[in-house]
Amino acid sequence: MASGSSGNCYYLGTETYGILIDAGIGSRTIKKALKSLDIPMESIRAVFITHDHADHIKAVSILGEKLHIPIYATPLIHKGINHNYCIKEKLSASVRYIEKEVPMTLEDFRIEAFEVPHDGTDNVGYCIEADGKIFSFLTDLGEITPKAAHYINKANYLILEANYDENMLRTGPYPAYLKERIASENGHMSNTDTANFLADNITEHLQYIWLCHLSKDNNHPELAYKTVELKLKDKGILVGKDVQLVALKRNTPSELYTFE
């Protein structure tokens, strides 16, 4: 529903219910996006949070405390959420804890959080299995560690950050400290970082790649797409034939992808 520094929110569901990954856009925007797809808000069973930055948690108070949707996160992420400036009502009744690398089951979903390197209070990716399909979500990470690589390599469907173009960041208007933060090992992944990893590590069972969390000022969807596409092509992997590739737009919901 949104993917970028202004807000992040993803939906994963069955025919009858679903979950959200992050809720960094307004609750009304979430409701509107779901309604446009004929998905009732009442069908959302839980929200899983990756970290406590505002662009990932903006709507958690309303979803959790007003709409009574369980909010899952690690204890440290929950602590960070309740100390964040954007949270007007602290989470209490909706709080649910998840531990890294301890799988949990929510109806038909098997969900496992895992460590990723970023500069939130605590930071996780999610590996979610449903009906024999494995989805791995990795947004906001400075590098792909062996742990992150393990969960990427399990995926049939992969949501992976390609935040910035290195040249655009280097020559752009951001102050030096912010450029350093973004490019650090606890910052964000560049198009080239993501492209190189995928080209060197792609598996035969990976069917779809969605490039997420693209920067407004330091990237373009077409640039991210082409950087990854060309690097894969150099390794003999053809986008559209061997794997599907999508660069998600920042503020525009994607189409609803249905997998048999």
Side-chain angles (χ1 to χ4, degrees):
M1 288 180 275
S3 179
S5 55
S6 299
N8 298 271
C9 186
Y10 305 88
Y11 170 82
L12 181 64
T14 68
E15 290 182 352
T16 54
Y17 66 91
I19 61 174
L20 300 180
I21 308 296
D22 287 334
I25 56 178
S27 58
R28 291 181 181 178
T29 304
I30 293 173
K31 288 181 182 179
K32 182 179 179 181
L34 291 173
K35 185 177 180 180
S36 71
L37 299 169
D38 294 321
I39 299 170
M41 198 70 190
E42 295 74 23
S43 71
I44 302 300
R45 297 291 194 265
V47 183
F48 289 82
I49 302 298
T50 60
H51 62 293
D52 63 341
H53 287 167
D55 57 322
H56 296 260
I57 63 170
K58 180 179 179 180
V60 293
S61 290
I62 292 176
L63 297 181
E65 299 303 306
K66 302 297 185 185
L67 300 182
H68 310 296
I69 300 172
I71 308 296
Y72 284 87
T74 68
L76 280 176
I77 292 174
H78 267 302
K79 183 178 180 180
I81 289 172
N82 278 343
H83 285 89
N84 193 288
Y85 71 91
C86 76
I87 299 300
K88 295 181 172 61
E89 181 180 356
K90 291 186 177 182
L91 300 184
S92 56
S94 62
V95 169
R96 303 289 188 277
Y97 293 123
I98 188 169
E99 299 292 339
K100 295 173 189 172
E101 298 181 60
V102 179
M104 62 162 287
T105 300
L106 182 68
E107 298 194 32
D108 294 326
F109 293 118
R110 180 187 182 276
I111 300 160
E112 186 171 352
F114 56 91
E115 176 77 25
V116 296
H118 192 52
D119 56 5
T121 303
D122 194 16
N123 313 275
V124 301
Y126 285 104
C127 184
I128 303 171
E129 184 173 351
D131 193 27
K133 303 172 181 67
I134 297 177
F135 299 79
S136 291
F137 289 78
L138 297 94
T139 175
D140 296 61
L141 70 164
E143 64 174 346
I144 296 177
T145 60
K147 183 69 66 180
H150 169 73
Y151 289 95
I152 290 173
N153 290 337
K154 291 177 68 172
N156 307 120
Y157 304 95
L158 175 64
I159 298 85
L160 179 62
E161 179 177 68
N163 178 256
Y164 65 95
D165 172 76
E166 291 168 331
N167 184 59
M168 288 182 69
L169 178 65
R170 184 173 59 252
T171 60
Y174 283 10
Y177 79 88
L178 185 53
K179 292 180 180 181
E180 291 175 4
R181 178 207 164 230
I182 291 168
S184 75
E185 292 179 351
N186 289 314
H188 293 279
M189 292 280 291
S190 72
N191 295 341
T192 302
D193 291 335
T194 299
N196 285 337
F197 177 85
L198 290 171
D200 291 338
N201 295 277
I202 197 165
T203 62
E204 291 184 358
H205 55 261
L206 181 61
Q207 299 181 36
Y208 257 89
I209 304 164
W210 291 270
L211 304 176
C212 71
H213 208 280
L214 275 64
S215 170
K216 175 184 176 182
D217 300 309
N218 301 306
N219 212 350
H220 297 296
E222 298 80 7
L223 181 56
Y225 181 98
K226 278 296 180 185
T227 303
V228 175
E229 180 189 34
L230 291 175
K231 187 63 67 171
L232 291 175
K233 187 176 181 181
D234 287 345
K235 294 296 181 77
I237 302 158
L238 299 181
V239 168
K241 179 184 178 183
D242 301 315
V243 68
Q244 303 302 315
L245 178 67
V246 178
L248 295 172
K249 296 180 180 178
R250 299 178 64 256
N251 301 313
T252 305
S254 71
E255 65 179 279
L256 181 66
Y257 294 89
T258 303
F259 304 107
E260 297 298 331

